[in-house]
Amino acid sequence: MSRISLEDFGEVIRLAEPVRTVKEAARAIGVEEGKIVKTLVVKCGGEFKAYIIRGTKKLDLKKLGCSMATPQEVLNMTGYPVGGVPPVLNIPVYIDIDLLKDEYVYGGGGDDYSLLKFQPRVLVERGVAKPVEL
């Protein structure tokens, strides 16, 4: 599986300390937690999908009819570890429509030491993510 170049979609920010939570990521770069997004990989039947939501929000798996992918499934399907999954993937990606009003947000940058600063609307404009109401 080939990786997509994250630099084509935003600025990769390298950090001195690992960040594994929304709170840690926000503190590391000095923004409010609402500016941090998480890319969650789920399994719906036999298909894997990713949902990009605000870090302060919970994904309603029951409503979607999905379950969370295991850390090993996430790594196998995306090539990235849980916590570092970027918003640009080779599986179907859906972005919370609420994020499209933000000029910039920060998401996984591929590992525990990186974040990706990106414009949510660019993912939609470039066909990388489909906007949905979550």
Side-chain angles (χ1 to χ4, degrees):
M1 151 186 356
S2 64
R3 285 191 178 186
I4 298 167
S5 173
L6 298 182
E7 286 82 2
D8 289 345
F9 292 90
E11 175 191 354
V12 177
I13 300 167
R14 306 280 179 216
L15 305 167
E17 298 289 323
V19 293
R20 294 185 184 93
T21 66
V22 169
K23 188 179 293 258
E24 287 174 355
R27 193 175 320 124
I29 57 173
V31 299
E32 63 187 56
E33 290 180 27
K35 284 298 203 185
I36 304 296
V37 300
K38 48 193 176 187
T39 302
L40 302 174
V41 178
V42 300
K43 195 157 126 179
C44 306
E47 185 185 9
F48 288 91
K49 301 176 181 180
Y51 287 90
I52 304 167
I53 61 172
R54 205 170 292 284
T56 53
K57 195 170 184 174
K58 292 218 180 301
L59 190 61
D60 188 344
L61 293 170
K62 197 174 283 186
K63 181 177 158 189
L64 295 171
C66 302
S67 61
M68 289 301 296
T70 67
Q72 191 59 55
E73 287 171 331
V74 171
L75 187 59
N76 292 347
M77 290 309 299
T78 68
Y80 298 101
V82 169
V85 178
V88 182
L89 299 167
N90 288 320
I91 61 175
V93 177
Y94 300 88
I95 186 166
D96 189 347
I97 206 158
D98 173 59
L99 292 172
L100 300 182
K101 66 184 180 200
D102 289 43
E103 185 176 356
Y104 285 99
V105 293
Y106 301 83
D111 59 45
D112 288 345
Y113 289 86
S114 304
L115 291 172
L116 179 68
K117 179 182 180 182
F118 68 98
Q119 295 176 291
R121 70 177 180 279
V122 168
L123 298 187
V124 174
E125 289 166 1
R126 293 173 72 186
V128 173
K130 182 179 177 187
V132 291
E133 206 162 313
L134 293 171

